[in-house]
Amino acid sequence: MGTELSGKVAFITGAGSGIGRAIAHELADHGADVAINDISPERAELVSREIVAKGRRAIAAVADISDFEQVQRAVQVASDELGPIDILVNNAGWDTLKPFLQGTLAEYNKIIDINFKGPIFVTRAVAERMSRRKSGVIISIASDAGRVGSLGEAVYSGCKGGIIAISKSWARELARDHIRVNVICPGLIDTPLLHNLQENDFGRKVIGAITRQIPFGLGRPEQIADAVLFFASSASEYITGQVLSVSGGLTYQG
């Protein structure tokens, strides 16, 4: 058993930049064809072209994942163009860093829509197809904030904790259809989102303080992609319902 993904099709949300882009390249490098989901057509098309240049098939599957009808269309396009989806990676995410009592209802709703409702919608659309075929892998990118909480990220932490819990339920329900479901919890990773969170004094102080606590320092998107490859491949064929922190030692959770 190894990490070869030839003949597999992966659908990755938020794959237009950051961790999602790194995941798309990692899976393509190991033989998968890839549907690049992003809310931005420009980003999705750019990464799709990067994958095609490597000799793999790839398409832009543009959709706002908080809109179920858009999700259904994107999944249908990906399936029509590339074939049945074997691997789903729920990666798309968004956050703002500020004390809970200073957040707005609009910010709360956006965080919930993207980080919790979005993965539910995408998983529903893809898992129905996997269930009929009795095969599939679902990997959700949560956060160590969902395991231990995080200063200035109360609603985000709640959503990521919800993804951990719902993924365990999915793992139980979908095991009968030979669908594996696992979760990866990154710590602080050097991405555009992390840079955006430091645009104000509060964000810079919080991120700076956390970074100083990481034994292995700030992480890279490729290090999360390595963990995704493990869960996407036959190397983890006897693993489901599990949560893996990839955080450079920031947290130690059983």
Side-chain angles (χ1 to χ4, degrees), residues 171-252:
R172 292 182 185 278
E173 290 194 19
L174 298 174
R176 70 193 68 179
D177 295 325
H178 306 285
I179 299 169
R180 295 188 287 109
V181 185
N182 291 292
V183 180
I184 295 169
C185 288
L188 287 189
I189 308 299
D190 189 6
T191 64
L193 176 59
L194 185 67
H195 289 277
N196 292 340
L197 293 177
Q198 299 177 76
E199 290 181 344
N200 57 60
D201 287 339
F202 180 80
R204 284 189 292 272
K205 289 178 181 177
V206 170
I207 298 299
I210 295 173
T211 301
R212 289 191 291 273
Q213 299 175 38
I214 306 174
F216 287 174
L218 198 62
R220 295 178 287 105
E222 292 78 13
Q223 292 167 318
I224 306 303
D226 287 340
V228 171
L229 175 63
F230 170 69
F231 279 131
S233 72
S234 61
S236 62
E237 68 175 5
Y238 196 56
I239 300 174
T240 195
Q242 301 305 306
V243 183
L244 174 65
S245 287
V246 184
S247 61
L250 175 61
T251 61
Y252 297 91

Side-chain angles (χ1 to χ4, degrees), residues 4-221:
E4 178 60 36
L5 299 176
S6 294
K8 302 294 186 181
V9 173
F11 188 100
I12 306 166
T13 69
S17 64
I19 293 172
R21 176 178 175 273
I23 293 169
H25 277 277
E26 182 79 0
L27 300 189
D29 286 345
H30 285 78
D33 297 322
V34 186
I36 306 297
N37 164 258
D38 203 274
I39 197 170
S40 163
E42 294 77 16
R43 290 196 301 261
E45 289 288 353
L46 176 60
V47 177
S48 175
R49 290 196 296 270
E50 292 173 350
I51 300 301
V52 170
K54 293 184 169 187
R56 303 308 316 166
R57 294 189 302 156
I59 64 161
V62 179
D64 176 350
I65 62 169
S66 67
D67 184 321
F68 188 55
E69 290 186 0
Q70 289 189 38
V71 167
Q72 288 179 306
R73 287 196 294 270
V75 169
Q76 185 65 57
V77 168
S79 300
D80 289 344
E81 294 291 327
L82 299 177
I85 296 168
D86 302 288
I87 302 159
L88 167 62
V89 184
N90 288 311
N91 165 78
W94 183 83
D95 194 17
T96 182
L97 197 61
K98 62 176 62 175
F100 174 70
L101 296 180
Q102 295 180 17
T104 67
L105 293 182
E107 288 169 338
Y108 295 165
N109 283 328
K110 184 174 180 179
I111 292 169
I112 293 167
D113 283 347
I114 296 173
N115 296 288
F116 191 61
K117 289 170 65 177
I120 292 174
F121 291 166
V122 180
T123 300
R124 175 62 188 266
V126 175
E128 284 185 331
R129 296 163 181 264
M130 289 179 171
S131 179
R132 290 195 292 269
R133 293 169 45 233
K134 305 299 181 185
S135 177
V137 176
I138 299 170
I139 304 156
S140 290
I141 308 300
S143 170
D144 265 5
R147 306 190 82 179
V148 301
S150 182
L151 181 65
E153 297 182 293
V155 178
Y156 177 83
S157 297
C159 290
K160 294 302 189 178
I163 290 300
I164 292 170
I166 200 171
S167 294
K168 290 177 179 287
S169 295
W170 288 335
R172 292 182 185 278
E173 290 194 19
L174 298 174
R176 70 193 68 179
D177 295 325
H178 306 285
I179 299 169
R180 295 188 287 109
V181 185
N182 291 292
V183 180
I184 295 169
C185 288
L188 287 189
I189 308 299
D190 189 6
T191 64
L193 176 59
L194 185 67
H195 289 277
N196 292 340
L197 293 177
Q198 299 177 76
E199 290 181 344
N200 57 60
D201 287 339
F202 180 80
R204 284 189 292 272
K205 289 178 181 177
V206 170
I207 298 299
I210 295 173
T211 301
R212 289 191 291 273
Q213 299 175 38
I214 306 174
F216 287 174
L218 198 62
R220 295 178 287 105

